[in-house]
């Protein structure tokens, strides 16, 4: 995926895809040879020992999101290439870890995004990102609330969406604490299964 910028984080993704080929597809149709990209997801990432020695390990201030994006950004800054190997296949349970703690996961996503911007783009762009996302969240909350009303509160999906966007907006209004993250609440699937057996 492209590195996060104010444009990628604040402009509608469909609009971005219409105006720039860079955002149209993560892997171009028919691609078989490795090609250079900004970043790859951590679920399937291999790194050379020389690269690791030059950039260091993953930044432990990220708990759940953006750590691999930041890593790829540091690679690029030092002149290394990041490539996608399109014919490699990896199974990934997209979103499975976050389902039991969906609200906390969304807040963690925002927290990591702000950390990424503070580290790589400075205070001004982080402040602009905050203002833009706050406006987007307010609009999302109003639309989510209206959709719950239109479905007479019968749609669990709509109610869950309202709970998530409402909680993220509340977190913003309370000052976006960058500490007190998901670390203490997150359980790996096998730990969850073990805890459920204990109950």
């Amino acid at each position: 995926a492209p590195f996060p910028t104010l444009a990628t984080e604040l402009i509608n993704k469909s609009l971005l895809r219409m105006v720039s080929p860079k955002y149209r597809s993560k892997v171009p149709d028919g691609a078989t040879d490795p090609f250079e990209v900004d970043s790859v997801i951590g679920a399937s990432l291999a790194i050379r020992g020389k690269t690791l020695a030059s950039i260091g390990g993953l930044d432990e201030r990220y708990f759940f999101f953006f750590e691999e994006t930041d890593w790829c950004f540091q690679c690029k800054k030092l002149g290394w290439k990041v490539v996608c190997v399109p014919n490699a296949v990896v199974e990934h349970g997209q979103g499975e870890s976050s389902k039991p703690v969906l609200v906390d996961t969304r807040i963690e996503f925002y927290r990591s995004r702000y950390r990424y911007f503070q580290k790589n783009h400075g205070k001004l762009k982080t402040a602009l990102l905050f203002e833009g996302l706050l406006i987007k969240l307010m609009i999302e909350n109003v639309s989510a609330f209206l959709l719950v009303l239109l479905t007479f509160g019968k749609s669990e999906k709509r109610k869950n969406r309202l709970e998530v966007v409402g909680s993220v907006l509340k977190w913003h209004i309370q000052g976006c604490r960058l500490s007190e993250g998901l670390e203490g609440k997150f359980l790996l699937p096998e730990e969850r299964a073990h805890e459920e057996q204990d109950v």
Side-chain angles (χ1 to χ4, degrees), residues 58-68 97-98 101 104-105 107-109 111-113 115-116 178-188 191:
L58 292 167
D59 187 335
E60 293 184 15
R61 290 173 293 178
Y62 299 100
F63 175 64
F64 199 35
F65 298 102
F66 286 86
E67 68 277 10
E68 73 270 58
S97 300
S98 60
V101 283
D104 293 309
T105 302
I107 290 171
E108 196 67 38
F109 179 81
R111 181 182 283 114
S112 291
R113 178 159 46 183
R115 280 194 174 122
Y116 177 88
L178 291 182
S179 59
E180 302 171 28
L182 191 57
E183 293 96 325
K185 300 176 184 178
F186 186 82
L187 293 175
L188 295 171
E191 293 173 320

Side-chain angles (χ1 to χ4, degrees), residues 10 15 46 55-56 64 78 95 98 123-124 139 143 149 152 155:
L10 297 176
L15 180 61
I55 65 167
F64 199 35
L78 291 175
S98 60
K123 290 182 180 178
L124 177 60
I139 294 166
S143 65
L149 286 181
F152 302 103
S155 169

